[in-house]
Amino acid sequence: MLKHLELLKEAEDNSLKLYRCKMDSAVRGLCIGSNIVLNRDIDNLKEFNCILAEEIGHYKTTVGDITAPGTNNARQELRARAYAYDKLIGLEGLIQAWDAGCRSINEAAEYLTVTEEFFRAALEYYRSKYGVQTSCKDRIITFIPYLDISKESQKSL
């Protein structure tokens, strides 16, 4: 998948400027106005995708400075992460990975070009958002006790 090209195009379409700078190792990325700064130590395409998608999410969903601790800041952080989960994975991405034969977190993350940690966090987000299961297109996506995707016609009564 060429998610990184889609992300770079989205940044360009939104007139965002992308910079790679030396940063504290704990800081992976920042969005300051229409500037996105990524730590230049990121040399893994999966991590690059995850961080860039979240920073674009901050640009699109965040209001003001969220660097100071606070409840509203946590909500804005979650909104930016949710944007990134939906951009890089989404329910359709789960179905595509399943249809491609991915049955482990490692395989699905590799297929979707995201980190395993990001994929796990996305699954937790989708579990909290949709509960035990949801439908998308002609599929039933079950999140609990584990990820399973089946055709709606196979759904038991």
Side-chain angles (χ1 to χ4, degrees):
M1 296 207 147
L2 301 173
K3 291 288 184 181
H4 64 285
L5 296 177
E6 291 173 25
L7 292 170
L8 292 171
K9 175 85 170 94
E10 183 176 358
E12 181 182 317
D13 290 348
N14 285 280
S15 300
L16 298 173
K17 293 190 181 358
L18 181 61
Y19 300 94
R20 301 289 303 265
C21 298
K22 181 72 175 159
M23 303 166 80
D24 183 289
S25 63
V27 178
R28 307 308 281 159
L30 294 169
C31 179
I32 305 164
S34 62
N35 300 299
I36 293 179
V37 183
L38 300 179
N39 192 320
R40 76 169 176 216
D41 291 341
I42 299 168
D43 58 358
N44 177 308
L45 183 59
K46 293 179 215 170
E47 186 178 7
F48 179 88
N49 287 343
C50 298
I51 294 167
L52 180 55
E54 185 174 337
E55 296 310 322
I56 292 172
H58 278 296
Y59 174 76
K60 290 191 164 205
T61 66
T62 301
V63 178
D65 179 7
I66 66 166
T67 57
T71 308
N72 190 41
N73 301 345
R75 270 186 243 136
Q76 290 192 53
E77 187 67 34
L78 179 59
R79 249 184 258 130
R81 287 229 174 114
Y83 178 88
Y85 298 148
D86 290 340
K87 185 75 178 171
L88 295 178
I89 300 173
L91 297 178
E92 290 184 25
L94 293 176
I95 292 169
Q96 290 169 359
W98 189 268
D99 288 350
C102 302
R103 296 297 183 270
S104 70
I105 288 174
N106 181 327
E107 292 171 340
E110 185 71 32
Y111 178 82
L112 295 166
T113 322
V114 298
T115 65
E116 289 182 36
E117 177 185 25
F118 185 89
F119 187 81
R120 279 189 179 92
L123 284 180
E124 282 302 313
Y125 168 74
Y126 293 136
R127 282 182 193 122
S128 70
K129 181 176 181 178
Y130 298 111
V132 174
Q133 68 181 204
T134 191
S135 61
C136 178
K137 298 196 174 200
D138 64 341
R139 304 298 182 91
I140 299 294
I141 303 172
T142 304
F143 296 104
I144 297 172
Y146 52 84
L147 182 63
D148 184 56
I149 300 176
S150 59
K151 296 260 186 195
E152 281 196 83
S153 61
Q154 296 174 344
K155 184 176 152 186
S156 59
L157 299 175

